[in-house]
Amino acid sequence: MNNLIMLFFFVPFLSFALLGLNFLVASHKPDDNKLSSYECGFSEIRGQTRSQFQIHFYIVCYVILSI
């Protein structure tokens, strides 16, 4: 019975308490790079040679190779 009390009451309480403590104590000051739309480092270039691709070709290849 003691393990069930620990599992259902103490563990969720501890997780929510630590999550709340994180929101209160952690600094939330994102810089301009984090707020920009291209966070990964690639900036949009007009006329770039990259084209859109269709993902179903990769899905078909994955299914064929996994058989």
Side-chain angles (χ1 to χ4, degrees):
M1 186 67 176
N2 193 13
N3 289 335
L4 287 176
I5 292 172
M6 180 75 85
L7 181 68
F8 289 114
F9 294 110
F10 181 68
V11 171
F13 173 75
L14 181 64
S15 64
F16 285 121
L18 290 175
L19 185 64
L21 186 65
N22 181 34
F23 282 123
L24 291 175
V25 176
S27 63
H28 300 285
K29 296 180 181 177
D31 56 358
D32 291 337
N33 291 330
K34 286 289 185 181
L35 295 175
S36 68
S37 59
Y38 291 98
E39 181 179 310
C40 64
F42 295 110
S43 57
E44 184 179 3
I45 302 171
R46 289 188 175 198
Q48 67 185 17
T49 58
R50 295 181 185 179
S51 61
Q52 293 181 349
F53 60 92
Q54 298 190 8
I55 193 70
H56 72 271
F57 293 116
Y58 291 101
I59 294 173
V60 170
C61 181
Y62 176 76
V63 170
I64 291 172
L65 290 177
S66 64
I67 294 177

